[in-house]
Amino acid sequence: MKHNLEVCFSPALYELFHHSDAVVVVVDILRATSAICTAFMNGARHIIPVGSLEEAREWKTKGHLVAAERDGLVLDFADFGNSPFNFTPDRVQQHDIVYSTTNGTSAIHKAAPAHAVAIGSYLNLSALSQWLLMKGRDVVILCAAWKNKFSLEDSLFAGALSKKLLDSGEFSTICDSVHASLDLWKSAQPDVYRYILKAAQKQRLAKNGLDDVIEFCHMPDQTNIVPVLKGNLLVGETVGKISYI
């Protein structure tokens, strides 16, 4: 029997998709999940996702490194913000990092009751696909979106991941959101970067000079590490060799 695949376009809809035996992939391409994958790629030990700024401040007073932003801007108490380029080896290697963002970390907390929660980005697309196949369970791709509103970049990635899983022959779907995301992915070919320039989040980042990460966040298969939620920590699981798309 094939495993079921669904896409949830917004955390506001997640209660309609949740079931406790499924694996949830949280996706926030611009920029949280891309940054998380980059941090592990560059040697971070753990990432602690927190929902509130108060909690992030408390961790900071205890001496932890904190990455925190709201609406794209670094908070005054934080060590750095939400750009993948902040998570360089010299800053993150062998460190635990407390992490709080506008959309991504709240989506992680919402997904936490599922059987397992993984972090998805283009950077670990093939490794993530292999990891999900090894899990052998139903999958829900949860788009972090923008303040619960539809997000083009997250939904486009959902199409890329859905295609990989469906092409494996191990998954099937009757979910309209999957078919819509697949159509988006098909429309974006052959130039995903050019397609995503129309996204609202690209414009939001550009207003603050933060859109230098757009191309990097859409580069596939830069790492074979899949960040996975274990209790209140994200840990990196290495998955074989990268199979390039």
Side-chain angles (χ1 to χ4, degrees):
M1 183 178 297
K2 294 185 178 183
H3 309 298
N4 188 46
L5 174 64
E6 294 181 295
V7 169
C8 177
F9 285 140
S10 167
L13 299 171
Y14 180 66
E15 64 181 26
L16 304 175
F17 291 81
H18 171 73
H19 59 98
S20 58
D21 291 333
V23 176
V24 177
V25 178
V26 176
V27 179
D28 187 355
I29 297 300
L30 296 174
R31 298 168 292 170
T33 59
S34 298
I36 290 170
C37 289
T38 301
F40 280 108
M41 180 170 66
N42 287 334
R45 185 168 54 187
H46 302 115
I47 290 179
I48 306 166
V50 299
S52 71
L53 294 181
E54 292 74 17
E55 193 175 356
R57 286 180 188 273
E58 184 177 351
W59 280 97
K60 177 62 177 175
T61 63
K62 296 176 182 178
H64 285 77
L65 278 177
V66 173
E69 60 81 26
R70 288 297 182 272
D71 297 335
L73 300 177
V74 184
L75 278 299
D76 56 2
F77 66 90
D79 297 287
F80 39 83
N82 197 27
S83 170
F85 296 156
N86 294 154
F87 295 80
T88 54
D90 60 302
R91 302 184 79 178
V92 305
Q93 196 165 38
Q94 293 303 307
H95 284 292
D96 294 345
I97 302 164
V98 176
Y99 198 48
S100 182
T101 72
T102 306
N103 305 293
T105 50
S106 60
I108 293 169
H109 281 277
K110 183 158 284 193
H115 176 79
V117 178
I119 302 302
S121 73
Y122 288 98
L123 304 175
N124 69 343
L125 175 57
S126 290
L128 175 62
S129 302
Q130 293 172 36
W131 186 88
L132 292 168
L133 287 168
M134 288 188 295
K135 285 294 176 183
R137 289 181 175 269
D138 294 347
V139 169
V140 177
I141 304 170
L142 172 58
C143 300
W146 173 258
K147 299 182 179 179
N148 287 326
K149 294 181 179 180
F150 180 89
S151 161
L152 185 61
E153 66 275 8
D154 294 348
S155 304
L156 181 64
F157 175 82
L161 181 56
S162 292
K163 186 175 190 307
K164 282 229 174 228
L165 296 179
L166 292 171
D167 285 353
S168 74
E170 298 296 320
F171 287 85
S172 63
T173 188
I174 58 168
C175 176
D176 283 349
S177 299
V178 172
H179 294 302
S181 67
L182 287 167
D183 286 348
L184 279 176
W185 180 243
K186 183 177 180 180
S187 295
Q189 307 305 311
D191 193 340
V192 173
Y193 173 70
R194 182 176 180 181
Y195 181 87
I196 210 62
L197 294 180
K198 69 180 76 174
Q201 180 66 350
K202 195 277 180 190
Q203 311 310 318
R204 295 186 195 102
L205 292 171
K207 286 180 181 179
N208 295 306
L210 300 171
D211 58 335
D212 57 338
V213 301
I214 305 295
E215 187 170 9
F216 175 77
C217 289
H218 290 82
M219 293 175 61
D221 297 335
Q222 302 302 300
T223 179
N224 61 346
I225 299 173
V226 178
V228 179
L229 189 65
K230 303 287 186 183
N232 69 333
L233 298 172
L234 288 169
V235 301
E237 294 191 3
T238 302
V239 183
K241 295 181 179 179
I242 298 172
S243 174
Y244 289 91
I245 60 173

